[in-house]
Amino acid sequence: MNWADTPEQAEFRAQVRQFIAEEFPPEYRPDTEAEQSLEPEDVLGYNWPADRNSADPSRAEGARKWAAALTAKGWITPGWPAELGGAGLSVLDEFILSEEMMRAGVPTVGSIGAFLLGPTLMAHGTDEQKREHLPPIARGERTWAQGFSEPGSGSDLASLRTKAVRDGDAYLVNGQKVWTSLGTHADWLFVLVRTDPAAEKPHRGITFLLVDVTTPGVTIRPITDIRGDQPFAEVFFDDARIPVTNRVGEENRGWYVAMDALSFERAGIGATIKYEQALRRLVSYVASEEGRRYLRPDFAAGGRREVARRYTEMRVLYNLARLTVSKQAAGEVPGYEASVNQLFSAELHQRLARTGARVFGRHAGLWQRADAPLGAVFTHQRMDAVAATFLGGTAEIQRNVIATRGLGLPRS
């Protein structure tokens, strides 16, 4: 297929590049010593939800200025209508905006609230909920985290056990969520709770709630990952009183709201560009005098072919992302294609990390960034990539979806 820009798209791409060059705050510099969270749209050295509350005044001010510049264009929520703080961009123009921001190495703003919760509230929220939550998301003033997974309820989400019992004009919520990405930086959570334990089918007794993290009875604790970073958290509810007005959709129908929410997941361009930039940096480094000092002696025997395979796979991933967004632009809802994208991206992440580490042989065991080849970026990426094949749905679940929905194979 031909993915070349139309003249209008090429003009918009040029506008985005000019905007970034002119408006990105020069004091908002990347912190390359910091670990990243695990989201595909993360940019090396930035974590906007954390940066906005940074103890470093220049980082906090830079994050604020960047959010303000994007707000003025409606580009925190570019696909939203203008009356809700967006820019009314088409799906393809949204894709171009995301692509150019990633290529420029500048962070997105708004995160999961902008691309996932916002559209969910537009579809299922009350007028009061829209007035309360959409404007702060569009201005980068309120960040969100997703409280779905629980201990023992990840891929089998319908088995969740966090309970909510109606008590007058509120629900009393008790239970635990886990692996809540950026939970320690969130102002609000959207969570799934069980409101009908006796439901004939488990997914029919679930309700979707919005939770202010300052609510008494809500406790958020960071989880330290294999790299020593804390990109996610566990959340505890102990008789947390959540107003009924914070329920999205009907009681016991939250499963269907959640499935709609997950359909708003991104097309995956962020991962493609991250991997491409990492590989280009690797190739450039090993060609340098410094890089040759660290190069594994037998790299030339098969290493070049391995790097070439990684590059080819990245072009495949790019085309998968473009296919997904093209289907959306045509008014279709991507089905199994999203699972193909997720699975291929996750496994490519791991293959790329292994390739980068093998290039440097024993030097890839250096964890400290100072005096390590390429600042130990691939050593850290190997740790980052361990979780890739179960974040956002395990590889086994994705293969089942592809087999049954894509290939029409029987379930048993």
Side-chain angles (χ1 to χ4, degrees):
M1 301 180 74
N2 181 9
W3 303 130
D5 288 343
T6 65
E8 293 78 15
Q9 290 167 349
E11 181 180 356
F12 177 68
R13 191 182 295 276
Q15 291 173 3
V16 173
R17 290 175 179 173
Q18 181 178 1
F19 169 82
I20 293 171
E22 295 176 353
E23 299 294 335
F24 190 74
E27 69 269 26
Y28 192 13
R29 296 186 177 90
D31 178 6
T32 54
E33 292 295 316
E35 295 291 351
Q36 306 303 294
S37 69
L38 303 175
E39 304 302 321
E41 275 68 27
D42 290 334
V43 174
L44 183 64
Y46 293 104
N47 184 342
W48 184 83
D51 292 342
R52 72 190 185 111
N53 296 319
S54 174
D56 180 346
S58 64
R59 290 195 74 74
E61 180 65 8
R64 187 199 66 78
K65 286 183 178 179
W66 182 228
L70 290 169
T71 297
K73 298 285 287 186
W75 283 358
I76 291 178
T77 53
W80 294 14
E83 59 269 23
L84 295 177
L89 295 186
S90 69
V91 172
L92 288 172
D93 280 347
E94 275 194 90
F95 185 92
I96 290 171
L97 175 61
S98 178
E99 181 179 4
E100 289 303 319
M101 288 179 68
M102 287 295 300
R103 292 198 185 282
V106 298
T108 56
V109 170
S111 189
I112 200 169
F115 75 83
L116 199 157
L117 178 66
T120 302
L121 289 181
M122 291 180 206
H124 297 280
T126 64
D127 289 341
E128 180 183 352
Q129 289 168 349
K130 294 173 186 176
R131 286 193 298 269
E132 164 67 17
H133 298 295
L134 295 182
I137 293 173
R139 294 192 297 264
E141 296 171 353
R142 182 174 296 171
T143 59
W144 289 78
Q146 174 182 292
F148 284 8
S149 294
E150 299 183 4
S153 298
S155 297
D156 182 18
L157 185 57
S159 68
L160 65 88
R161 295 188 296 270
T162 296
K163 293 182 180 179
V165 177
R166 184 73 178 262
D167 180 31
D169 61 355
Y171 291 100
L172 289 180
V173 179
N174 287 276
Q176 179 187 359
K177 300 293 180 178
V178 75
W179 313 127
T180 304
S181 296
L182 295 173
T184 55
H185 304 298
D187 302 307
W188 281 71
L189 310 168
F190 53 99
V191 304
L192 292 179
V193 296
R194 185 162 300 287
T195 43
D196 183 5
E200 182 180 355
K201 295 185 177 181
H203 68 274
R204 291 184 179 172
I206 291 172
T207 297
F208 193 110
L209 296 179
L210 308 178
V211 177
D212 185 337
V213 300
T214 64
T215 302
V218 176
T219 303
I220 299 177
R221 298 176 185 166
I223 298 174
T224 302
D225 68 9
I226 195 172
R227 307 163 303 167
D229 193 29
Q230 298 177 332
F232 32 62
E234 52 186 347
V235 184
F236 298 89
F237 300 93
D238 183 13
D239 279 341
R241 191 174 180 86
I242 309 303
V244 172
T245 53
N246 285 15
R247 184 186 70 214
V248 179
E250 300 176 26
E251 185 171 288
N252 298 325
R253 299 281 295 177
W255 179 263
Y256 306 101
V257 177
M259 293 305 101
D260 274 358
L262 294 177
S263 73
F264 295 117
E265 291 279 11
R266 297 183 181 183
I269 186 61
T272 305
I273 296 171
K274 279 176 67 172
Y275 303 160
E276 179 184 284
Q277 290 176 335
L279 187 63
R280 289 185 184 278
R281 188 179 175 194
L282 175 65
V283 170
S284 176
Y285 184 76
V286 298
S288 69
E289 183 177 349
E290 179 184 347
R292 286 193 292 272
R293 289 196 293 112
Y294 290 110
L295 193 61
R296 181 173 169 170
D298 61 352
F299 170 73
R304 288 183 174 86
R305 286 192 296 274
E306 187 171 346
V307 169
R309 282 195 292 270
R310 297 294 87 82
Y311 182 78
T312 302
E313 290 163 350
M314 287 173 200
R315 300 315 302 164
V316 171
L317 183 61
Y318 179 84
N319 281 287
L320 287 172
R322 288 301 302 249
L323 174 63
T324 301
V325 79
S326 295
K327 290 177 74 71
Q328 293 173 329
E332 301 178 44
V333 177
Y336 71 93
E337 297 92 346
S339 289
V340 173
N341 196 326
Q342 165 73 14
L343 177 63
F344 193 84
S345 175
E347 294 189 340
L348 175 54
H349 187 181
Q350 294 178 341
R351 289 194 296 271
L352 176 62
R354 288 194 297 267
T355 294
R358 278 199 288 263
V359 164
F360 299 117
R362 61 188 176 87
H363 296 292
L366 296 172
W367 181 257
Q368 297 298 325
R369 295 184 184 275
D371 300 322
L374 263 181
V377 64
F378 281 96
T379 306
H380 286 245
Q381 190 178 84
R382 284 182 74 187
M383 300 296 103
D384 184 13
V386 169
T389 46
F390 57 85
L391 286 172
T394 66
E396 292 78 10
I397 292 292
Q398 304 298 352
R399 284 189 167 89
N400 283 339
V401 171
I402 295 166
T404 55
R405 300 181 190 175
L407 301 176
L409 298 177
R411 292 184 176 273
S412 60

